[in-house]
Amino acid sequence: MQLFHSPTSPFVRKVLVTAHETGLAARIELLPANPWEQPPALTAINPLSKVPALLTDDGTILYDSPVICEYLDSLHGGARLVPESGAQRWQVLRVQALADGILDAAVLRRLELLRPTHLQSPDWLALQAATIGRGLDALEHEAVEWGGETDLGRITAACALGYLDFRFGDEQWRTTRENLHRWYAAFRLRPSMTATAHPEG
Ligand SMILES: N[C@@H](CCC(=O)N[C@@H](CS)C(=O)NCC(=O)O)C(=O)O
């Protein structure tokens, strides 16, 4: 399998963490891509020019990260990261959507902050920050019962928290979110997380 990859993308990291958790990491070849440059090799696979995008061994094209992660989850014989049915399935998918939404807002905020200061919109930045804050509060509620087990929702949550530390490290999301803080302190040490950490800086 070939995965269009950027080391700073939290959505790519989510796919890689999933690959490690399912024992499939060694089967994935990483193809470096800067999606913002809209490289033809990537747009030929994903017309949206977003990473992650996956080309499977039989030539099937898959995006975005929820689809790729469910595909990987269908390839292994261990416990499913997305339960196949029942209330647990919908809970896991909801947490994934929540954490993906936090990431969408965080990436938008990051992009706005990369623009020249005089072009930045304080209202837009405040809107994204508010979305992230409410999302984290909801995750804090979800995390009340989280222990050492994993699933795709928690993998996505961990990648969201890792991205906030990576890009907004001076902001104190932990201060008012004791459950998340406790849970993430342990989850971030999983081999799947340490093997996929964002680069420094
Ligand atoms: N919903 C997508 C989001 C992917 C995404 O936003 N990726 C960013 C990098 S972090 C990207 O490639 N952006 C390029 C663009 O929007 O042009 C997923 O879950 O895979």
Side-chain angles (χ1 to χ4, degrees):
M1 293 178 272
Q2 295 181 310
L3 180 71
F4 284 86
H5 172 268
S6 160
T8 58
S9 167
F11 299 101
V12 169
R13 186 182 190 194
K14 173 186 163 188
V15 167
L16 294 177
V17 172
T18 299
H20 280 274
E21 292 286 349
T22 53
L24 296 165
R27 286 179 50 187
I28 297 181
E29 179 190 353
L30 302 182
L31 303 180
N34 180 345
W36 310 106
E37 293 173 353
Q38 310 209 334
L42 174 60
T43 56
I45 297 297
N46 181 353
L48 306 175
S49 194
K50 287 181 192 282
V51 292
L54 186 80
L55 194 58
T56 72
D57 291 341
D58 68 7
T60 303
I61 292 166
L62 295 176
Y63 50 83
D64 53 0
S65 66
V67 178
I68 298 171
C69 290
E70 279 229 40
Y71 173 72
L72 296 179
D73 201 30
S74 76
L75 295 183
H76 70 112
R80 285 297 162 95
L81 293 175
V82 180
E84 280 172 293
S85 62
Q88 273 295 106
R89 172 176 176 79
W90 306 115
Q91 192 168 342
V92 167
L93 291 177
R94 183 188 65 228
V95 172
Q96 176 184 223
L98 176 60
D100 274 343
I102 291 170
L103 280 176
D104 285 335
V107 170
L108 286 175
R109 193 167 165 229
R110 161 86 182 157
L111 290 175
E112 186 70 7
L113 288 168
L114 288 176
R115 281 154 49 92
T117 313
H118 70 281
L119 294 178
Q120 293 176 17
S121 162
D123 287 350
W124 178 249
L125 287 168
L127 196 71
Q128 303 312 327
T131 299
I132 295 165
R134 285 193 310 274
L136 288 171
D137 289 343
L139 268 190
E140 165 72 1
H141 186 67
E142 299 277 358
V144 170
E145 294 177 355
W146 290 357
E149 63 286 351
T150 190
D151 58 41
L152 187 55
R154 295 176 210 196
I155 288 171
T156 313
C159 290
L161 299 175
Y163 185 74
L164 292 178
D165 283 348
F166 174 48
R167 291 303 195 197
F168 304 97
D170 55 340
E171 298 179 11
Q172 305 296 319
W173 63 262
R174 290 167 173 82
T175 312
T176 55
R177 301 180 184 99
E178 188 55 37
N179 296 315
L180 268 187
H181 182 178
R182 170 192 49 76
W183 170 79
Y184 183 65
F187 197 95
R188 67 193 291 271
L189 301 179
R190 292 177 82 92
S192 62
M193 290 291 290
T194 55
T196 61
H198 292 299
E200 294 293 316

